[in-house]
Amino acid sequence: MALLRIIEDGRALVSTEGTIAWNRKGPTVLEGHLPVSIAADGCDAAYLGMTLWSQRPSQIGLRFMMNSVPVLRVDVNGKHDSLPRSTHSHRYNAMTGKDDRIEILDNFVDVPMAPTIPLGTERKCFEVFANMANVQLNGTYWTDPWRGGR
């Protein structure tokens, strides 16, 4: 897909619109969704997403979706069949929708496996992920996901 190559190499203007919206998915899971604008034909809907688990704060899920198809995913301290528990990325093949490239990320935000994490860790992970996806974060894009406590 030509659009995906343009985004991956940073040639397309890809930026966020508005503020991340948080929704509860059950008593212990929060899903964040931040719309992304892509200045190119062929992309009707894109967003950056984040999944947080209150019972597992050191495990964070991040994804970049375009036209309902995953482009990039990062699992912070995630478990994968072929990998030890680690922070790793999944790059998807736009033609097949399969995650052909899975790699351990040694240079991502260090989030120790622990029952609590430092304040601001979720935001830092989101910012590093947006940079990996070549998405420019605009304005006041962030709100605290855990307002009201974990």
Side-chain angles (χ1 to χ4, degrees), residues 24 30 37 86 94 141:
R24 279 207 183 271
L30 280 181
S37 170
S86 61
Y141 62 88

Side-chain angles (χ1 to χ4, degrees), residues 5-50:
R5 279 192 296 279
I6 290 169
I7 291 168
E8 283 182 342
D9 69 16
R11 289 183 284 147
L13 177 58
V14 183
S15 58
T16 58
E17 298 179 334
T19 304
I20 193 168
W22 295 101
N23 295 300
R24 279 207 183 271
K25 301 289 182 188
T28 63
V29 180
L30 280 181
E31 292 276 340
H33 185 276
L34 180 60
V36 170
S37 170
I38 300 175
D41 290 334
C43 184
D44 299 322
Y47 71 91
L48 293 175
M50 182 177 226

Side-chain angles (χ1 to χ4, degrees), residues 71-121:
V71 175
L72 174 66
R73 188 176 100 209
V74 168
D75 299 329
V76 176
N77 292 322
K79 185 81 175 92
H80 193 278
D81 296 340
S82 61
L83 299 173
R85 183 169 301 282
S86 61
T87 297
H88 59 274
S89 68
H90 297 252
R91 289 213 181 257
Y92 291 82
N93 180 318
M95 303 310 277
T96 65
K98 303 268 187 214
D99 54 346
D100 335 358
R101 293 187 339 211
I102 300 171
E103 61 184 278
I104 293 177
L105 300 174
D106 294 325
N107 57 351
F108 201 78
V109 178
D110 182 30
V111 181
M113 286 293 296
T116 61
I117 58 174
L119 288 174
T121 299

